[in-house]
Structure formats: structure tokens, C-alpha cells
Amino acid sequence: MDVYRVGNSRRCIVWCYDIYGFKGGRTRELCDKLSDKGYMVLLPDFFRGESRGLEDEDLISWVVTQSDWVGQRQFEWVENLLPYARSKGAEVFGAVGTCWGAYLVTKLSSYAEFKAGACFHPALTLVTELALQQNLYELLDEVQCPQLLITAGNDHDNEKKGGLANKVWGVMKFGIHCEYKEYKNMLHGWMVRGDMRNESISTDAKAAFNLLVSFLATNLK
């Protein structure tokens, strides 16, 4: 698996991208910006060069294959990515994801090494319930560290303030440290694919990134 690594720090962020893959949108640009804030950022190529768009007929079946946690992604983290990160000096971990990547962020956040998870326009409901036919509550219940969910207006209510994630995590000991922010005028994907020439998109993207930086600074020490 290829890994784009930027920055040197004991604080390591694993960036989990969306369906557009390793070179999609502004993903690497955001990794670079986050590394400038004092983090080592790892962007693994989970899809091995593949990607999909919303128009692809095999999107759902492809997402199911790519979301195989027990058969593939868990092994990749434990046997490959974690040793690699530690060999580069990583000691404490956080996860950041967009869209599909939110599913991996949630899974990784069940590990003791992770102290925070954050997602831009997460697709947790779509991936978990529609594609994988799994119980979203059970996925959310595995999380063991503070979470930041930044949603667009057309994202699912489960991932917004007052939604299922908020209700599940709200009764956990870390729940008080979770944050939820909705940008009602934005559309799903705006952080990595929105037209930054549009002042509204640019302004909200900058605000959302600053919220991420603040959240990580508080929870990842």
C-alpha cells in the first residue's frame, strides 16, 4: 500500500479519504495544511489506485468491497500502518476522514492508540446501513474517543447535532468532548471538491478546517 506522508511529529493523523481516492480533490492539500500545524499526517492509499464517482453503477458493491474491516482494513492497520507510523516516531494518534473515510475513522477510534476522530461530511449512514447492511448504532457504540462531525446541509441527520451519533456518544464518558457543526448552506463534499472561487464555500471551508485544528489541539496531546 502506498502512503503519502508529510510532517514529522509524535502526534500522527491518519487521513482516510473519500471515494475519489488517493489523488482526489484537495485531499493532499489538506494533509499538507494539517502537517503545518505540528502533525505527522499519513494518507494511506486504501483503494490501491482505484476510485469511484457517484455516477458509477457499481458504486455500492465497490464500497462494500472496500469497507471490509475484518478481512482487510483491520489487518492493514495492525500489521502495516501502525508499525510504519511508529517507525517514523508516532506515539499518539488521531484520525480524520471525508465521506467514505468516516467509516474508517469510526473503526479506528475504537483503538486505544487513538485519542480523537474527526470527519468532514461523513457518509456513515450510507456506508454502514445502505451499503454494508449493518447496524449504525453498533458501529457508533465501538468508539472510545472524542469525535468531531462537520456536516453539510444535505448530510444525514444521524451525523448532525441531536442525531444518532450525538445520542450514542452523549452518554459515554468522552461525550462531553464531542463536537458537531453543520454548515447548512454547503453540499456534501465541499471541503475537498467545492469550488473555492465561490466565497461562501471558501469561507466555510476555512472555518471548518480551523475547527478541526482547534479540536485536535484540545484532544490530541
Side-chain angles (χ1 to χ4, degrees), residues 73-85:
R73 302 302 178 205
Q74 185 179 42
F75 177 86
E76 290 171 343
W77 168 247
V78 174
E79 299 297 330
N80 298 324
L81 291 172
L82 179 57
Y84 172 76

Side-chain angles (χ1 to χ4, degrees), residues 10 16 19 21 32 39 57 67 70 78 81 87 102 113 131 134 155-156 160 163 165 171 179-180 201 204 206 218-219:
R10 57 179 291 275
C16 306
I19 61 172
D32 292 345
Y39 299 93
E57 294 183 358
S67 307
V70 175
V78 174
L81 291 172
S87 75
E113 296 93 352
Q134 295 176 357
D155 284 326
H156 201 286
K160 296 178 180 179
V171 298
E179 298 181 28
Y180 310 86
I201 293 175
D204 282 357
K206 291 175 182 176
T218 299
N219 294 287

Side-chain angles (χ1 to χ4, degrees), residues 13-21 27 43-44 46-47 62-63 66-67 69 73 94-109 114 116-128 139 143 147-149 159 188 192-193:
I13 301 297
V14 180
W15 192 289
C16 306
Y17 53 42
D18 59 18
I19 61 172
Y20 294 90
T27 299
L43 174 66
F46 297 108
F47 300 160
W62 183 79
V63 165
Q66 297 296 344
S67 307
W69 178 254
R73 302 302 178 205
V96 175
T98 57
C99 187
W100 173 85
Y103 179 76
L104 287 195
V105 169
T106 308
K107 283 293 192 179
L108 290 171
S109 293
F114 283 84
C119 301
F120 296 110
H121 32 79
L124 288 172
T125 302
L126 175 65
V127 173
T128 307
L139 173 69
V143 172
Q147 301 291 301
L148 168 65
L149 296 184
E159 285 111 71
H188 181 83
V192 287
R193 296 187 307 281

Side-chain angles (χ1 to χ4, degrees), residues 5 40 45 50 59 87 113-114 122 128 164 171 180 185 213:
R5 179 174 64 90
M40 179 201 309
D45 187 13
E50 292 188 27
L59 176 60
S87 75
E113 296 93 352
F114 283 84
T128 307
L164 183 60
V171 298
Y180 310 86
N185 294 325
V213 171

Side-chain angles (χ1 to χ4, degrees), residues 106 122 124-126 128-129 134-143 147 149 151 155-172 174-175 178-180:
T106 308
L124 288 172
T125 302
L126 175 65
T128 307
E129 296 191 337
Q134 295 176 357
N135 188 305
L136 180 59
Y137 175 89
E138 293 178 358
L139 173 69
L140 298 171
D141 194 47
E142 296 175 356
V143 172
Q147 301 291 301
L149 296 184
T151 53
D155 284 326
H156 201 286
D157 286 346
N158 281 338
E159 285 111 71
K160 296 178 180 179
K161 187 174 180 62
L164 183 60
N166 190 176
K167 292 174 181 176
V168 173
W169 297 334
V171 298
M172 296 183 174
F174 62 83
C178 292
E179 298 181 28
Y180 310 86

